[in-house]
Amino acid sequence: MASGTESWILMATGRTPTNIAVIKYWGKRDEALILPVNDSISVTLDPDHLSATTTVAVSPTFDRDRMWLNGEEIPLSGDRFQSCLREIRKLADDVVDEKKGIRIRKDDWQKLHVHISSYNNFPTAAGLASSAAGLACFVFTLAKLMNVKEDYGKLSSIARQGSGSACRSMYGGFVKWTMGRDAWGSDSIAVQLASESHWNDLVIIIAVVSSKQKETSSTTGMRDSVETSPLLQHRAQTVVPGRILQMEEAIRSRDFASFARLTCADSNQFHAVCLDTSPPIFYMNDTSHRIISLVERWNRSDGTPQVAYTFDAGPNAVLIAPNRKSAGLLLQRLLFCFPPPADDELTSYVIGDKSILHEAGLQSMKDVEALPPPPESKVKYPSQKTPGEVSYFICTRLGSGPRVLADESLALLSPTTGLPK
Ligand code: DP6
C-alpha cells in the first residue's frame, strides 16, 4: 500500500460556507436519497463569518473511521455520513505523495480508515445551517484527500445525501438546486447561477434570536409536511416553478425589488406550510414576527423594498439589504428595537463586518441610546424596546465556495497522531 514505513498519516483540510435559501427546499420525494419536491435557490454566505473547516486524515494505523465535531467525538454510524463516505470512496483515485513516500492505490481506499475533525466558526446551537456547511465540507475534503476527479456537480449530489441543503454549499454566490427527475437522483444537483462578484453590493445581517424551545428538526418537520399539508403540494407544483424563473431573472438583472419580494413571499409561504402541517410546526417566534413587522412597515412606507427577510427552521432572521447605506439604516432600526442588554458591549453584540456599524454612526452604547425611533414608526409602530430578545447580530455578505486550506498549521488533526490538536 505504501512504500517505506507503514506509519504515515496523510491529511487534507477544507473550508466550506453556509448558505441561506431564498426559495426554500421543504419536502422530499425520496427520503433515503434526499430528493426534493421542488427546486430551490440560495445565497452563499461569506466563509470568513460562517463556515465549516474540516480536516480528514488517513493512515494504515487507524483501526476505524472516527469523527470529531468542535472537539467532541461524534458517532459516524448514521446512514447519511455512511452514504457520503461510501460514495466518495467509490470515486477515490490513486494518490502519490513523493515527499512523504506515500503511495495509495485506488482500491486501497476501501480498506483504509479515516479520521475527520470539523469545526464551525459560528455557534452550532445558533441554528444557522451548520449541517449544510458541515456535510458539504465533509464531502469536499474527503474528495480532495482521495483525489476524486469528478466535477462539483457530482460532489453536490453526494453532499445532498448528507443533508439536502448541503448540496448548495458546493458553490459561492447564487446557487440553484435542481430537483431533477431521475429516480436515482443523478440529476438532482446544485449549479451556480452567478458568482458572488455578480452582485457584491448586497449586505446580509443575521439576527440570532434567543429561543428556549427545542425546534423540530428540518428532516422531521418536512416529512410531516409532506404527509399532511395540502399547501405543500400546491406550493411545490404550482407556486415554486414560477418563482424559480422569476428569482433567476431578478438575480441575473440585479433587480433588488423583485429579489426582495420573492424572498419574503417564499419564506412566508414555507412557514405557512409549517402551520398547515398536522400537528402544526412553529419555527418563528414573537421576536421573528416583530422583525417581519419592522421590515414590512419600512418597505411599505418607502414604496419599494429596502430589505428582504427570510427565516429557516428556527426563529433567526436573515435580512438582506441592497447596499451598505440601506444596511446601516436597517442596523439603526434593529438596534433601536432590540438594543443590547445594558451590560453588553456593542462590539460583542454586533459581530462580523463591523464597518457597517461604524458607517451607520454607531460607535458606542451612547450612540445606540440616542437613536431616534424610525420615521415610519409614527404610523403605529411596535417600537417598545426589548433587550435580550436578540442574542446578537452578524453582519456579513455573499461569499465564495469551498476551498482547500493548504497551510498545514490550519489542520484540525495532529500530523503525528491523527487526533484532534
Ligand atoms: C428550511 O437540508 O436541513 O433550511 O435534507 O433533511 O437534512 P435535510 O434537511 P435540511 O433542510 C433545510 C430546510 C430549510 C430550507 C432550505 O435550506 O432550503
Side-chain angles (χ1 to χ4, degrees), residues 154-185:
K154 176 70 185 177
L155 295 188
S156 79
S157 76
I158 298 175
R160 189 202 74 224
Q161 296 172 55
S163 178
S165 53
C167 73
R168 297 185 312 238
S169 276
M170 216 43 91
Y171 300 97
F174 298 85
V175 183
K176 172 165 132 179
W177 173 12
T178 316
M179 63 180 284
R181 300 281 158 204
D182 175 29
W184 295 105

Side-chain angles (χ1 to χ4, degrees), residues 64-298:
R64 63 202 153 99
D65 297 330
R66 295 176 73 183
M67 179 160 182
W68 294 263
L69 176 61
N70 297 327
E72 296 280 314
E73 185 156 10
I74 59 163
L76 249 179
S77 51
D79 290 349
R80 290 173 167 209
F81 280 128
Q82 287 301 323
S83 307
C84 293
L85 252 174
R86 191 184 56 243
E87 293 300 310
I88 292 288
R89 275 194 173 115
K90 271 196 227 159
L91 303 173
D93 210 335
D94 298 349
V95 172
V96 181
D97 187 323
E98 298 288 1
K99 263 209 300 222
K100 293 188 174 140
I102 301 169
R103 194 169 290 266
I104 306 171
R105 285 193 317 270
K106 215 176 168 142
D107 300 334
D108 296 338
W109 287 110
Q110 299 296 336
K111 297 173 289 222
L112 283 166
H113 292 291
V114 288
H115 282 184
I116 301 155
S117 181
S118 193
Y119 159 83
N120 296 325
N121 65 354
F122 57 95
T124 309
L128 293 168
S130 54
S131 70
L135 263 307
C137 207
F138 179 81
V139 168
F140 173 78
T141 314
L142 275 171
K144 292 296 165 195
L145 180 77
M146 298 189 183
N147 195 18
V148 171
K149 301 226 171 59
E150 304 287 331
D151 60 23
Y152 281 22
K154 176 70 185 177
L155 295 188
S156 79
S157 76
I158 298 175
R160 189 202 74 224
Q161 296 172 55
S163 178
S165 53
C167 73
R168 297 185 312 238
S169 276
M170 216 43 91
Y171 300 97
F174 298 85
V175 183
K176 172 165 132 179
W177 173 12
T178 316
M179 63 180 284
R181 300 281 158 204
D182 175 29
W184 295 105
S186 63
D187 54 356
S188 189
I189 60 169
V191 291
Q192 188 181 51
L193 295 175
S195 78
E196 59 280 14
S197 60
H198 166 71
W199 199 354
N200 60 8
D201 315 343
L202 297 182
V203 177
I204 297 168
I205 298 180
I206 302 171
V208 178
V209 171
S210 318
S211 157
K212 276 166 217 84
Q213 99 203 38
K214 171 94 188 75
E215 276 116 30
T216 313
S217 77
S218 305
T219 309
T220 312
M222 69 175 86
R223 186 183 304 138
D224 291 350
S225 294
V226 168
E227 283 167 9
T228 63
S229 166
L231 180 56
L232 180 137
Q233 306 301 332
H234 170 70
R235 163 177 166 72
Q237 284 157 24
T238 314
V239 181
V240 175
R243 275 192 189 155
I244 289 279
L245 295 175
Q246 290 167 13
M247 184 56 95
E248 285 187 63
E249 179 52 28
I251 292 168
R252 201 196 57 73
S253 56
R254 293 187 283 262
D255 174 353
F256 186 77
S258 298
F259 177 84
R261 279 193 200 100
L262 289 162
T263 299
C264 298
D266 205 68
S267 172
N268 289 335
Q269 188 173 69
F270 152 51
H271 291 277
V273 167
C274 292
L275 205 55
D276 191 44
T277 298
S278 175
I281 309 165
F282 311 101
Y283 284 127
M284 295 193 287
N285 63 19
D286 287 352
T287 312
S288 320
H289 293 146
R290 289 189 61 211
I291 295 173
I292 293 183
S293 301
L294 179 156
V295 173
E296 288 282 352
R297 267 170 214 278
W298 183 22

